[in-house]
Amino acid sequence: PAAGPRAVRGCRPVEAVRPPVPVVDFSNAQEAYRSLRTWELARNLLVLRLCASPTLLERHQQLLQIARKLLGQKLFDKLMKMTFYGQFVAGEDQESIQPLIRHNKAFGVGSILDYGVEEDLSSEEAECKEMASYASSTERNGSSMSKSEKQYQAHLTFGDQRDSVISGAHTYFCASETKYDSRMKTLLHCIEASGKASDDGFIAIKLTSLGRPQFLLHFSDVLTKWRHFFHQMAAEQGQAGHAAMDTKLEVVALQESIAKMGIASRAEIENWFTPETLGASGTMDLLEWNSLIRCRTQLSKHLLIPNVQTGQLEPLMSQFTEKEELQMMRILQRMDVLATKAMEAGVRLMVDAEQTYFQPAISHLTLEIQRKFNVEKPLIFNTYQCYLKDAYDNVTLDVELARREGWCFGAKLVRGAYMVQERARAVELGYEDPINSTYEATNAMYHKCLNYVLEELKHNSKAEVMVASHNEDTIRFTLSRMEELGLHPADYQVCFGQLLGMCEQNSFPLGQAGFSVYKYVPYGPVMEVLPYLSRRALENSSIMKGTQRERQLLWQELWRRLCTGSLLYRPA
């Protein structure tokens, strides 16, 4: 990569006396909007106000159709670029987005590129297309499944995965291998565009865009069953309810339990649990347990676990066919191609979190790529959704895994994008709701995970985290902890992330004060990005209603320019 900020990250200067951590003023409207021309201030005000109107949001699709008919395609495209599209989308292609990327970078704000094109399908079409992809999978009688198993079964009611998704999360449906290769090529072009415009950008990736969802669903089921088996053994040893990293199985007792179940002979069991896999401690934690089912180990073929419902032993991966193994390898190969290209271009990859029934597989595959590419610095970032009840366990386990294996931990912390959908699905299918019960609980979980990672950064100069939040209290909490822990913005270990077109009063003051901050930057042709914008308008309505303070600051700066004769102000 070309020399730049990324070239020195991870090398914390100790000999030089650095200035104190900058103080950031989020209430200074003039400084917050230095990067915007006056007409852009007016557009932001208009769009944010319209997005906060329930009446307009309910009818926005009909209004857009009427406008398109009356204006024609060319004028309609211009209208969109002057309003909603111009607010939330950077441009139509890799060339047209370059000016905005460079402009934001001049004010200290980087970019997370995301090709925002989605298929324009009706809900019925989306449901049929998605459910058809599971037709070849082995169906099981729902009445014989445990509650946890039901979470990893396809269901027609939730076939349209776009429903009730917030924060601009894209949705991809099952496609052919040719289509997945085509999406990979699009991401390669994104990497090239980001590398040309900046020396420290990100690219957002969804693994459902690179591989079949039925594989991710089934693999998630396998991984979850294996983890549940560990906790079942822990409960037998009197460790029920312990935090994941605090739970350690006594290997001798574990061998006795497995032998009594008739899973394998004592000789086979002893071959599984060797000093090479366990060390000399005589205990086994969840990370060591998970190592037995690594993607590339053959041992997993022979593992049996008890079915809680039937009491019978079942091969853990009995339905994990050669075809599914091939699909797994294809996903890993595509990720490998993307990571290699990103490393050459000086760009980092941000693997987005998705629904809980895909997430165990997504996290597992991401860890496989992190092991290979996060050697000198974090090239691959995993995403953790802190509205999940097990978010803290997931974060602490992965931090510890990176420590043990010697690769660089990279994470993005978000609150989450699928809350309404996840809760409705849990009720419909009859499994435990994976989401924290209240917003306060989610907020506490976010700060708990963030604090843990920041503590890790204090002792590990090669670990990095992105605080992806529009919540000003969370940003202030991060700044406060950075100062207490001695994490200076010049270390580039902590960065902040927000959506393009939102919370400029947070993003730009941070960037101008020297903090590492990024905007999530979608791009694509107007009509092809419109389905994404339409969903975002509806599903981010609750967020938009909370933009009153942002609108007040916009009015304040607009009025200041009017009173001082600065309406023709142009950012320098």
Side-chain angles (χ1 to χ4, degrees):
R6 290 289 301 169
V8 296
R9 291 187 183 187
C11 302
R12 189 179 296 165
V14 292
E15 70 284 349
V17 177
R18 294 179 295 176
V21 175
V23 176
V24 183
D25 184 359
F26 296 115
S27 61
N28 188 327
Q30 182 176 353
E31 286 300 307
Y33 301 116
R34 279 180 54 215
S35 65
L36 297 181
R37 289 167 287 183
T38 302
W39 72 266
E40 290 173 317
L41 288 177
R43 182 195 66 192
N44 287 12
L45 268 170
L46 173 65
V47 171
L48 292 177
R49 183 65 190 90
L50 291 175
C51 288
S53 169
T55 304
L56 285 174
L57 285 176
E58 287 175 7
R59 298 173 174 80
H60 82 279
Q61 291 179 326
Q62 297 94 313
L63 292 173
L64 289 176
Q65 290 175 358
I66 293 170
R68 187 180 173 191
K69 288 180 181 178
L70 291 175
L71 298 175
Q73 191 63 53
K74 287 187 178 180
L75 286 177
F76 178 77
D77 286 356
K78 288 185 178 180
L79 175 64
M80 289 296 99
K81 289 178 180 179
M82 291 172 60
T83 53
F84 299 97
Y85 179 95
Q87 176 84 358
F88 299 119
V89 184
E92 296 197 81
D93 53 39
Q94 287 127 9
E95 294 303 318
S96 64
I97 66 177
Q98 298 294 329
L100 183 137
I101 293 174
R102 293 193 181 100
H103 175 82
N104 285 355
K105 191 63 181 174
F107 288 88
V109 177
S111 298
I112 309 169
L113 289 192
D114 180 27
Y115 190 58
V117 172
E118 289 185 357
E119 295 178 82
D120 191 6
L121 302 175
S122 68
S123 290
E124 292 76 15
E125 290 171 328
E127 288 169 359
C128 291
K129 186 167 186 176
E130 192 66 9
M131 293 305 296
S133 70
Y134 299 95
S136 61
S137 299
T138 303
E139 294 295 331
R140 296 180 57 187
N141 183 354
S143 62
S144 67
M145 294 182 205
S146 67
K147 289 184 178 182
S148 62
E149 285 178 313
K150 291 180 180 179
Q151 185 172 0
Y152 302 99
Q153 296 297 311
H155 196 282
L156 178 61
T157 304
F158 304 95
D160 186 357
Q161 296 169 25
R162 302 167 300 180
D163 187 43
S164 302
V165 178
I166 64 168
S167 300
H170 294 301
T171 301
Y172 295 93
F173 296 96
C174 184
S176 65
E177 294 301 320
T178 303
K179 182 67 173 178
Y180 293 130
D181 286 338
S182 175
R183 290 171 179 169
M184 180 187 71
K185 290 177 182 177
T186 298
L187 288 170
L188 289 172
H189 292 317
C190 287
I191 291 170
E192 288 179 0
S194 180
K196 289 178 182 177
S198 171
D199 55 15
D200 66 343
F202 282 96
I203 296 294
I205 294 178
K206 281 192 177 294
L207 287 202
T208 49
S209 73
L210 298 176
R212 295 179 180 273
Q214 70 266 39
F215 156 69
L216 295 172
L217 196 68
H218 188 198
F219 193 33
S220 291
D221 187 21
V222 167
L223 294 169
T224 302
K225 285 178 179 176
W226 188 237
R227 187 163 175 168
H228 284 172
F229 188 24
F230 174 86
H231 287 296
Q232 181 184 342
M233 295 294 97
E236 285 190 9
Q237 296 188 16
Q239 298 187 61
H242 289 194
M245 280 310 305
D246 296 333
T247 306
K248 299 186 190 307
L249 301 181
E250 295 291 337
V251 174
V252 174
L254 175 62
Q255 289 173 332
E256 289 293 327
S257 296
I258 292 176
K260 288 178 182 177
M261 291 177 187
I263 289 177
S265 68
R266 288 189 178 274
E268 288 175 317
I269 295 168
E270 289 173 2
N271 286 335
W272 287 1
F273 306 121
T274 63
E276 287 76 18
T277 58
L278 299 177
S281 65
T283 62
M284 171 181 266
D285 63 22
L286 186 54
L287 292 178
E288 292 162 332
W289 179 264
N290 286 341
S291 70
L292 298 176
I293 198 173
R294 283 278 302 278
C295 288
R296 297 182 175 88
T297 61
Q298 294 302 309
L299 172 64
S300 58
K301 303 285 187 184
H302 309 291
L303 295 180
L304 300 172
I305 61 170
N307 184 313
V308 178
Q309 298 294 110
T310 65
Q312 301 297 312
L313 294 174
E314 295 180 353
L316 178 64
M317 304 181 78
S318 60
Q319 298 172 26
F320 204 74
T321 63
E322 290 184 9
K323 185 177 180 181
E324 286 182 312
E325 286 204 17
L326 180 59
Q327 289 170 3
M328 175 169 64
M329 295 311 300
R330 283 174 174 166
I331 293 175
L332 287 171
Q333 287 166 359
R334 291 179 183 117
M335 292 179 71
D336 194 284
V337 169
L338 293 170
T340 300
K341 181 70 173 179
M343 187 164 55
E344 294 170 356
V347 174
R348 289 159 290 171
L349 302 184
M350 185 87 66
V351 180
D352 282 340
E354 303 191 45
Q355 288 92 341
T356 52
Y357 40 94
F358 294 138
Q359 194 56 44
I362 289 170
S363 293
H364 193 94
L365 296 172
T366 302
L367 287 173
E368 286 288 306
I369 298 299
Q370 286 181 312
R371 284 185 176 100
K372 180 175 180 179
F373 288 94
N374 286 14
V375 179
E376 297 297 328
K377 57 188 177 184
L379 182 79
I380 314 295
F381 279 56
N382 202 359
T383 300
Y384 299 87
Q385 300 191 101
C386 294
Y387 67 5
L388 298 178
K389 294 174 182 176
D390 61 358
Y392 184 74
D393 280 348
N394 294 334
V395 169
T396 54
L397 283 167
D398 288 355
V399 167
E400 178 61 24
L401 184 66
R403 286 178 192 152
R404 292 184 188 181
E405 297 183 346
W407 48 270
C408 302
F409 180 78
K412 177 177 73 168
L413 299 182
V414 300
R415 278 176 170 78
Y418 306 96
M419 181 177 70
V420 176
Q421 183 188 104
E422 292 277 11
R423 283 192 166 147
R425 195 174 188 274
V427 171
E428 179 70 22
L429 275 65
Y431 58 86
E432 183 183 353
D433 184 358
I435 310 296
N436 287 316
S437 57
T438 64
Y439 173 80
E440 289 73 22
T442 292
N443 209 42
M445 178 66 79
Y446 192 103
H447 287 191
K448 183 179 181 180
C449 293
L450 175 56
N451 191 60
Y452 182 87
V453 175
L454 292 175
E455 291 274 3
E456 173 67 12
L457 267 54
K458 177 184 178 181
H459 304 289
N460 181 356
S461 64
K462 289 189 174 182
E464 296 181 18
V465 66
M466 173 175 282
V467 183
S469 175
H470 297 109
N471 188 305
E472 192 171 305
D473 289 337
T474 294
I475 295 171
R476 291 184 184 279
F477 171 84
T478 306
L479 297 179
S480 174
R481 290 298 288 144
M482 286 178 69
E483 186 168 15
E484 292 168 1
L485 295 168
L487 297 171
H488 198 275
D491 298 330
Y492 297 103
Q493 286 186 276
V494 181
C495 59
F496 298 86
Q498 287 101 31
L499 294 170
L500 183 68
M502 294 181 63
C503 292
E504 315 288 59
Q505 80 278 9
N506 292 338
S507 307
F508 284 88
L510 282 169
Q512 288 158 189
F515 289 89
S516 189
V517 59
Y518 294 84
K519 284 292 192 182
Y520 208 91
V521 179
Y523 72 96
V526 174
M527 292 308 298
E528 294 182 46
V529 175
L530 211 55
Y532 160 77
L533 281 177
S534 180
R535 281 197 309 107
R536 184 139 157 207
L538 282 171
E539 291 149 0
N540 278 11
S541 58
S542 59
I543 298 175
M544 293 299 184
K545 289 175 184 175
T547 60
Q548 184 176 356
R549 182 170 181 273
E550 186 171 356
R551 297 200 304 271
Q552 288 175 343
L553 290 171
L554 284 164
W555 270 119
Q556 184 178 324
E557 173 58 8
L558 193 59
W559 181 251
R560 187 197 67 80
R561 291 187 189 182
L562 178 64
C563 293
T564 58
S566 305
L567 287 176
L568 298 180
Y569 166 80
R570 295 183 65 85

